[in-house]
Amino acid sequence: MDFQFGNGNISVRRSRFGSVTGMIVDLMPARMGSRRAEGCVIFVTVEDQDGNTVNFTMGPATYVVDFDTLSVGMTCTFWYELDAPAPLIYPPQYSAVVAAQEKRERMVDVDYYDAGLLNEAHTLQVNLDGSVEVRTTNNQLFQGSPGGHNLVVIYDSSTRSIPAQTTPKQIVVLC
């Protein structure tokens, strides 16, 4: 995140996210230079439905939806920051911000949501009622308004309107 200081105001630039969905074909401990990363960073190789390979590093800051344990053979979606530094290599390699196993009964959206809880892509509007859990990535209750943050929105159904509307099962704030 970039901070701009001018006229006494602080503005925070929000992240834009890209995603890749595919089958995990390899998981291995990542290397940091000439040594292993002590098991805290995992190197994940994903193959999408077109046969393209993408590599992700997953560290302690990567949020895994439902805290699922990922394994080879699972179909998952990995989100990464579009403006984060990435090496210019093939296959591409990104640092995963969020990972989610694909499940039929669950949909996940990772995006910046404005104060009205509309995502930046204008494809999903979140409606809050008293039953929606809003948590942080370490599973603590979020004490503020989720609007104006990068969010992981976990839901099972939405309207067919534009933008689609949902009352999610859970919201995770990417602080």
Side-chain angles (χ1 to χ4, degrees):
M1 279 199 176
D2 293 339
F3 294 90
Q4 298 172 352
F5 299 92
N7 300 336
N9 296 325
I10 298 174
S11 64
V12 178
R13 188 175 53 97
R14 51 190 170 241
S15 295
R16 292 190 24 193
F17 299 96
S19 66
V20 173
T21 300
M23 182 180 294
I24 296 174
V25 295
D26 195 19
L27 286 164
M28 60 195 293
R31 298 186 75 78
M32 303 299 266
S34 63
R35 62 180 174 82
R36 294 221 181 261
E38 304 299 328
C40 289
V41 179
I42 299 171
F43 194 75
V44 183
T45 301
V46 176
E47 187 175 294
D48 71 12
Q49 66 183 12
D50 297 326
N52 299 312
T53 300
V54 180
N55 294 318
F56 290 95
T57 54
M58 289 181 51
T62 303
Y63 175 69
V64 179
V65 174
D66 292 339
F67 300 99
D68 289 333
T69 300
L70 306 183
S71 62
V72 171
M74 281 184 174
T75 300
C76 297
T77 300
F78 294 84
W79 287 266
Y80 59 94
E81 289 184 79
L82 288 172
D83 57 353
L88 295 174
I89 59 174
Y90 183 83
Q93 180 177 321
Y94 304 107
S95 180
V97 176
V98 176
Q101 180 183 6
E102 289 294 303
K103 295 182 179 178
R104 290 179 200 209
E105 69 278 359
R106 176 184 75 196
M107 291 175 271
V108 179
D109 184 52
V110 178
D111 205 343
Y112 173 83
Y113 281 76
D114 66 17
L117 294 176
L118 175 65
N119 71 358
E120 191 164 64
H122 294 267
T123 57
L124 189 63
Q125 171 75 51
V126 171
N127 299 314
L128 292 181
D129 63 11
S131 69
V132 179
E133 287 188 3
V134 181
R135 298 195 170 266
T136 61
T137 56
N138 65 1
N139 209 29
Q140 302 306 301
L141 288 173
F142 184 71
Q143 300 297 321
S145 169
H149 292 89
N150 293 317
L151 303 178
V152 179
V153 177
I154 303 162
Y155 61 105
D156 56 8
S157 64
S158 65
T159 64
R160 293 180 187 247
S161 61
I162 298 175
Q165 295 186 30
T166 188
T167 301
K169 291 180 149 194
Q170 184 177 21
I171 294 175
V172 177
V173 180
L174 299 174
C175 294

